[in-house]
Amino acid sequence: MIRVFVVDDHEVVREGIKNLLHLERDVQWVGDAANGRQAIKFILEHDLDVVLLDVTLPDLDGLEVLTRVRQEKPSLPVLMFTMHEADALALRYLKAGASGYITKGTSSRVLLDALRTVVTGEKYITPEIGKLLLREWSSIQDRPLHASLSNREFSVFRLLASGKPVGEIADELCLSIPTISTYRRRILLKLGMKNNAELIGYAIRNNLIQ
């Protein structure tokens, strides 16, 4: 039996997946969480076979949750499930250790196939993701600016681009305000930008935030 834990901030999405899994004989819904902190607590306290994780959560960034899971339970598959289309964001998550990346517009058959694939230890790579990987390998020199950011810098970048103030980001990531301010300066320097407005514009143009 494949034990699935779902992390998504929309109750209708969680309930829909729960109902879908209840129809399958080899898949078991074992719980859900509406935010990153709830998710991490549950994941660390329970035996699971796969985590279905949304990219955008109300507290921690999905990348933060993924990174923590990889640190604490490196063999636990994490399948990203998001509104974001397959693009540079997907590559970021796969490089951080995600077992696959599918969008919420996908069919229930694809979702179930992805869950069954990643629990075997394999990656679930859609044709769109495959094309992105091929493009990345063949044109490293054309990588987007945000590819130079570390995972923590990328998380802070997305939070800044979402309009959150430095103090709120510090609380969410359990870091000090000076530390977040330092990350912000590094991000602006690496991206060649001057302020948050430019960060927001860049994130929107590159489909990095909803």
Side-chain angles (χ1 to χ4, degrees):
M1 186 70 71
I2 301 173
R3 296 163 295 181
V4 182
F5 181 65
V6 180
V7 187
D8 195 287
D9 59 334
H10 294 98
E11 183 177 0
V12 66
V13 173
R14 300 196 306 273
E15 285 298 314
I17 296 173
K18 178 180 178 180
N19 292 334
L20 171 65
L21 299 185
H22 280 333
L23 298 175
E24 302 300 312
R25 293 183 177 181
D26 63 329
V27 183
Q28 178 186 10
W29 176 91
V30 295
D32 61 54
N35 61 59
R37 288 190 174 88
Q38 291 176 356
I40 290 173
K41 184 176 186 298
F42 190 97
I43 291 168
L44 297 184
E45 294 177 351
H46 295 79
D47 290 326
L48 306 169
D49 293 312
V50 59
V51 175
L52 189 63
L53 175 63
D54 191 8
V55 167
T56 304
L57 298 170
D59 54 352
L60 300 179
D61 183 272
L63 189 58
E64 291 287 329
V65 178
L66 174 63
T67 301
R68 180 69 184 278
V69 173
R70 291 273 64 78
Q71 292 172 346
E72 302 292 340
K73 292 190 173 183
S75 62
L76 177 62
V78 179
L79 178 63
M80 307 310 300
F81 188 57
T82 174
M83 292 293 293
H84 294 279
E85 294 300 323
D87 54 15
L89 188 62
L91 296 181
R92 170 74 61 168
Y93 278 86
L94 291 171
K95 289 178 180 178
S99 299
Y101 186 104
I102 58 176
T103 66
K104 292 180 179 179
T106 194
S107 68
S108 58
R109 181 191 60 78
V110 170
L111 171 58
L112 291 169
D113 185 40
L115 290 171
R116 291 177 175 125
T117 297
V118 299
V119 296
T120 67
E122 296 182 15
K123 297 284 188 181
Y124 187 83
I125 304 297
T126 64
E128 293 79 11
I129 295 294
K131 291 177 182 178
L132 286 173
L133 290 172
L134 181 60
R135 190 180 310 141
E136 167 116 336
W137 292 332
S138 62
S139 57
I140 294 178
Q141 68 276 13
D142 295 326
R143 294 171 63 192
L145 291 174
H146 59 269
S148 66
L149 301 178
S150 69
N151 285 340
R152 175 51 62 85
E153 289 170 345
F154 188 70
S155 293
V156 173
F157 160 67
R158 291 189 71 235
L159 291 170
L160 287 169
S162 296
K164 293 188 176 184
V166 169
E168 186 175 337
I169 296 173
D171 289 340
E172 289 190 13
L173 300 183
C174 297
L175 297 171
S176 68
I177 291 178
T179 297
I180 298 300
S181 296
T182 297
Y183 276 121
R184 178 180 177 275
R185 287 194 295 271
R186 289 182 190 168
I187 292 165
L188 289 172
L189 180 62
K190 286 186 175 182
L191 299 184
M193 297 176 186
K194 298 178 180 179
N195 51 50
N196 286 10
E198 293 186 1
L199 290 179
I200 292 171
Y202 178 88
I204 291 174
R205 288 193 303 274
N206 289 273
N207 195 31
L208 298 175
I209 57 174
Q210 293 182 358

